[in-house]
Amino acid sequence: MARIAVIGAGMGAMATAARLAVAGHQVTVYERGSTYGGALGRYERDGFAFDTGPGLLHLPAVYRDLFVKTGKQPLEDRVEMLQVDPAVRHVLDHASVTLPGASRGGVAAALDETFGAGAGERWNDLLGRARDTWDATRRPLLEEPLRPDWQVLGRDPYPALRGSGLLRRRQPTLAEVARRELGGGLGELLRGRVLAYGLDPDSAPAAAAALPYMEQTFGTWYVRGGMRELATAVYERCLERKVEFVFGAPVKAVLTRDGRAAGVRLADGTEAGADSVVCGIDPRQLPAGSVSWPRGSVQARGGSVPGRLTLLLALRGGRPAEAVHRTLVHSPGSAAVQLVTVLRPDDPSTRPDADHEAVTVSAVCGPAGGAAVPDPEKLLDLAARAVPDLRKRLLWQEVRTPAHVEAATGARGGSVPAPALPGDGGRLLYPANATGLPGLYLAGGWAHPGGGLAHAGMTGALVAGLIVEGAEFRGSQ
């Protein structure tokens, strides 16, 4: 039995802790804040309740697998998982379209009705090429530790459509694929789906089309009571596996002995020895040189990662029956805000009674202190296109900037990492789960395979496999 020190109590960190504990290790989690869950926070006021981080889950199989591998009680016995249907409504300048969940034919019919005959076929053909991208990279990008020859992931596997003008020496960007293979409002739908992840379509590789493919194929899910309930379920599973949590315990240094990680030093000077250390927080908070970012990645080049501006809106008046859980409002003509996400969960636990509604509005923006954080009024104007009479119904709003995210999670600038993607020379890859310092490992959204609830959960299996089986571990078969 080894002693494992885990830094942070975010989702990736807790997923790692639970798997290591069930393997027989003694695991202690040190969390700088007063609670667990990392970005999966909860804000409550006057009977309203809001998720302050991710509001939806893709690839729920990641957390189902976690519960299967760490105990007898399945995830669905702990939380109520609801597939979101319709999956999303897009509101464009001159059109709107509502797409059903996990229905290829239903999506095609809705697109044909809005954009004309053949639109659905073009969309599904593009997602077919995205499926080829997904199949080619799923295992090395999501299910295995980052391979030593990670440079092969720097090549974009997206098979650009012949005759589109995109087969050339340079691989196309997502925006070029959207324009050449879809065009018009249909192309704007693809751009928006990628923008929502915090990726710039004008620079993101065409492989980013795998993200809407993933959504359409595996569905979008919500947890009754809010996504914070998922964090609670994982935390309680950790406690059942005898994981120890120490809250209010910021880690200031990773101890080393004989050239390997040997524990952690807390802010109050306390030292806790360990055989291995798992960093589940933004590794940029670790001492310089502790982590090696893939050459060419945004972080290696000193670039900034976007954050989120979020409005938590308490509304008078009940949620209309025709309301859609998730709406993406497009504003391609705006330099400050190109896309706003509006979440309207049909969940009684989020509101004081049936005569009120809780709505969350968010947009990608610059990091804390950056000039690109937009005016919240602009977000309200765009959100009003999805929520009629929004301003008349507004009781109060809570504004959460990237600075709030930084204060809650410690992520520099309140940055929110996007999922890892192949292509573009490895610019959107993250550090390997095993670092250059023996005994120090990385979990969570800032490690391979990147951000998002599902991807953070994947790091739990990767890190636990590396610690339990050693460097030869190549992922579950």
Side-chain angles (χ1 to χ4, degrees):
M1 178 177 69
R3 298 170 301 162
I4 312 292
V6 178
I7 306 173
M11 296 300 286
M14 291 196 296
T16 306
R19 289 178 181 270
L20 288 171
V22 83
H25 297 302
Q26 179 184 332
V27 184
T28 303
V29 177
Y30 299 93
E31 166 57 45
R32 65 193 287 273
S34 60
T35 188
Y36 54 85
L40 282 184
R42 191 79 163 158
Y43 179 82
E44 298 183 2
R45 174 182 163 187
D46 300 338
F48 293 90
F50 305 86
D51 287 316
T52 58
L56 295 169
L57 172 66
H58 304 297
L59 295 177
V62 172
Y63 288 95
R64 291 189 179 115
D65 180 70
L66 171 66
F67 274 74
V68 167
K69 299 294 176 56
T70 60
K72 295 181 179 179
Q73 191 177 34
L75 176 62
E76 281 80 1
D77 283 358
R78 294 298 187 90
V79 297
E80 184 181 359
M81 302 281 292
L82 304 171
Q83 186 167 3
V84 176
D85 194 13
V88 62
R89 174 178 291 162
H90 290 267
V91 177
L92 307 172
D93 281 350
H94 303 294
S96 67
V97 59
T98 301
L99 303 181
S103 172
R104 191 171 188 268
V107 167
L111 294 176
D112 281 346
E113 183 177 353
T114 302
F115 299 107
E121 182 178 5
R122 294 201 307 279
W123 175 266
N124 282 333
D125 284 349
L126 182 140
L127 290 198
R129 294 185 286 278
R131 178 193 60 216
D132 294 340
T133 301
W134 171 270
D135 290 342
T137 59
R138 181 184 64 185
R139 183 160 180 80
L141 192 68
L142 303 179
E143 299 174 357
E144 297 179 349
L146 189 65
R147 51 200 300 176
D149 60 338
W150 59 264
Q151 291 85 352
V152 300
L153 290 171
R155 296 194 291 269
D156 191 339
Y158 180 82
L161 184 63
R162 293 187 179 277
S164 67
L166 296 179
L167 288 174
R168 50 188 160 183
R169 190 172 301 173
R170 174 181 63 80
Q171 284 291 323
T173 66
L174 189 283
E176 289 171 331
V177 165
R179 184 169 59 253
R180 302 284 185 88
E181 299 185 11
L182 295 176
L186 195 60
E188 190 58 35
L189 262 59
L190 180 64
R191 287 177 53 91
R193 297 288 274 275
V194 171
L195 272 168
Y197 284 89
L199 297 165
D200 180 1
D202 291 322
S203 60
L211 297 173
Y213 163 78
M214 173 189 69
E215 290 185 24
Q216 182 166 311
T217 303
F218 304 109
T220 300
W221 299 77
Y222 174 73
V223 175
R224 179 75 70 184
M227 299 306 296
R228 175 69 178 175
E229 293 298 312
L230 179 63
T232 298
V234 176
Y235 172 68
E236 291 176 347
R237 176 53 56 90
C238 286
L239 294 180
E240 292 166 3
R241 301 280 77 85
K242 309 303 181 185
V243 175
E244 181 182 356
F245 286 80
V246 183
F247 294 105
V251 172
K252 291 302 181 182
V254 175
L255 303 177
T256 59
R257 184 179 299 114
D258 300 326
R260 64 172 288 118
V264 296
R265 179 183 297 115
L266 306 183
D268 63 4
T270 301
E271 295 188 354
D275 299 296
S276 295
V277 176
V278 177
C279 174
I281 62 175
D282 182 347
R284 293 176 296 177
Q285 300 174 65
L286 295 175
S290 299
V291 177
S292 176
W293 297 88
R295 292 190 306 275
S297 68
V298 173
Q299 294 83 359
R301 294 186 285 106
S304 62
V305 177
R308 299 286 191 279
L309 177 65
T310 302
L311 309 182
L312 310 178
L313 308 180
L315 305 185
R316 61 172 62 88
R319 181 183 186 274
E322 68 276 11
V324 172
H325 191 125
R326 176 175 59 150
T327 300
L328 300 182
V329 182
H330 299 247
S331 180
S334 169
V337 183
Q338 297 184 55
L339 185 85
V340 163
T341 299
V342 180
L343 298 181
R344 306 176 71 182
D346 185 10
D347 186 347
S349 71
T350 65
R351 52 189 183 252
D353 52 50
D355 293 325
H356 294 84
E357 182 181 7
V359 174
T360 301
V361 177
S362 63
V364 174
C365 64
V373 177
D375 183 350
E377 293 298 310
K378 177 62 176 177
L379 267 65
L380 277 180
D381 289 341
L382 291 172
R385 296 170 59 190
V387 184
D389 298 321
L390 174 61
R391 289 187 180 273
K392 292 180 180 178
R393 297 178 58 196
L394 185 62
L395 291 170
W396 52 262
Q397 66 174 319
E398 174 76 12
V399 179
R400 298 183 65 85
T401 68
H404 291 95
V405 176
E406 182 173 19
T409 68
R412 284 189 181 178
S415 301
V416 179
L421 287 174
D424 201 9
R427 184 177 65 89
L428 296 175
L429 297 178
Y430 290 80
N433 306 105
T435 71
L437 177 64
L440 176 63
Y441 301 87
L442 303 182
W446 288 100
H448 173 76
L453 275 178
H455 291 70
M458 292 172 189
T459 65
L462 297 177
V463 174
L466 288 167
I467 291 177
V468 173
E469 299 185 26
E472 66 277 8
F473 172 73
R474 296 312 304 162
S476 58
Q477 300 298 321

